[in-house]
Amino acid sequence: MAHPAVAVLESALRARKLDRTLTTTLPSWEWTDPASLLPMDVPLVDACLRGGLPRGQLSEFSGPGSCGRMTLLLQLMSAATQRGEIVALIDTCDRLDVASAAAAGVDLDRVLWIRGSGSGIRDSGFGIRGSGFGIRGSGFETRDQRPGTGDWGLGTAVDRALKALNLVLQAGGFSLVAIDLADVPPVRLRQIPFTTWPRVQRVIEGSDTACVLLTPEPLARSAGGLTLSLAGRSTWAGVSDRSRLLQGVDLRVRVVSPRKRIDGDVRVRTVAP
């Protein structure tokens, strides 16, 4: 039984039409329309997610380096583009390996790739490149204008990546929009204003777009979004340090959602090409 004070608060929120902020008002996942989900086409993961990532919600893939965040995102992008959908990636630190994306089955003609500077400080800033769009530019400058202030340059790159994210979401037409913040130090991520993510959610709410954050640790998700916490262990072939070859990565995916509407743990093995 709910506490009386909680009941009064929920009633007041409903009276002011603010009840969408309550996880108790979210629909049951057992009755979710499959069209409102973005599947990964990985049976074990999709089963754990009960069909896929929710569209119109902000979700996140979090975990330490080499945990499989980008591998999972590339699989999600591959599944979406193979269905003929358009996806976008805001690549804050310019870490995307195009060859790996193509090997994962991503249709690059259906990808809008917005590139940040490789160092976050001195490169050409943000540019846009997409085979299907034919656009490339460097309209966003991220050069550090003050000697010895590298953190300022990285902060500028993050701020402009977030602006790019907002512009892409407002443009619409994408089934998936992801922003890669995995190489940004957690201390810098915690400096992002907390109002950023509710604004992102308001833009995509009710749309067919799923927004995904790639982060080194849990950062933000919407009331109906999911957190996928990842851990990875590399597997090698060979006995000598000089002759060992990477065979693949064993991924552990733990799904966390509000009020444990979805809560599961699955292990997946990826094989190196």
Side-chain angles (χ1 to χ4, degrees):
M1 183 176 180
H3 192 280
V6 175
V8 171
L9 175 60
E10 291 183 354
S11 177
L13 289 171
R14 290 190 182 96
R16 294 180 177 272
K17 297 182 179 181
L18 297 174
D19 53 318
R20 286 188 177 183
T21 62
L22 301 174
T23 56
T24 53
T25 64
L26 297 174
S28 171
W29 277 87
E30 285 73 15
W31 303 102
T32 299
D33 181 0
S36 67
L37 299 173
L38 189 66
M40 292 191 184
D41 290 351
V42 179
L44 287 176
V45 178
D46 284 339
C48 188
L49 296 174
R50 302 187 188 180
L53 288 180
R55 298 179 188 263
Q57 299 292 336
L58 174 66
S59 300
E60 60 181 347
F61 297 171
S62 66
S66 301
C67 69
R69 293 166 306 206
M70 182 56 72
T71 299
L72 208 60
L73 177 62
L74 291 179
Q75 177 58 40
L76 187 61
M77 293 171 63
S78 173
T81 56
Q82 293 301 323
R83 291 191 299 269
E85 298 175 326
I86 306 295
V87 303
L89 172 63
I90 291 86
D91 192 5
T92 305
C93 297
D94 195 13
R95 295 295 192 261
L96 177 66
D97 179 43
V98 179
S100 296
V106 178
D107 183 352
L108 298 177
D109 287 339
R110 294 184 174 275
V111 177
L112 175 62
W113 178 23
I114 303 179
R115 303 178 62 184
S117 60
S119 64
I121 301 173
R122 293 194 184 89
D123 284 348
S124 59
F126 271 83
I128 302 176
R129 177 179 290 177
S131 301
F133 295 83
I135 302 174
R136 185 187 179 198
S138 57
F140 296 107
E141 291 293 335
T142 60
R143 295 175 183 170
D144 191 350
Q145 297 175 358
R146 296 177 297 174
T149 55
D151 291 341
W152 177 85
L154 179 59
T156 302
V158 171
D159 291 342
R160 290 178 175 174
L162 293 173
K163 291 179 181 178
L165 172 67
N166 189 53
L167 289 172
V168 172
L169 291 175
Q170 289 184 354
F174 298 91
S175 66
L176 170 67
V177 177
I179 178 169
D180 185 359
L181 300 170
D183 291 309
V184 178
V187 65
R188 176 62 188 90
L189 293 178
R190 288 192 286 268
Q191 293 173 0
I192 297 174
F194 72 92
T195 55
T196 300
W197 310 118
R199 289 173 182 170
V200 168
Q201 175 56 29
R202 281 199 296 270
V203 173
I204 62 175
E205 189 172 19
S207 72
D208 292 331
T209 301
C211 184
V212 175
L213 310 179
L214 262 65
T215 59
E217 60 183 29
L219 178 65
R221 69 166 185 254
S222 61
L226 303 175
T227 294
L228 274 62
S229 296
L230 291 97
R233 183 177 63 86
S234 301
T235 57
W236 301 84
V239 294
S240 171
D241 290 341
R242 294 186 178 182
S243 63
R244 288 199 307 169
L245 297 175
L246 179 66
Q247 282 188 321
V249 179
D250 292 333
L251 302 181
R252 179 186 177 188
V253 182
R254 181 171 177 266
V255 182
V256 181
S257 66
R259 300 286 180 90
K260 296 187 177 181
R261 295 168 65 228
I262 297 181
D263 194 3
D265 195 317
V266 65
R267 296 178 184 273
V268 180
R269 166 164 288 190
T270 62
V271 180

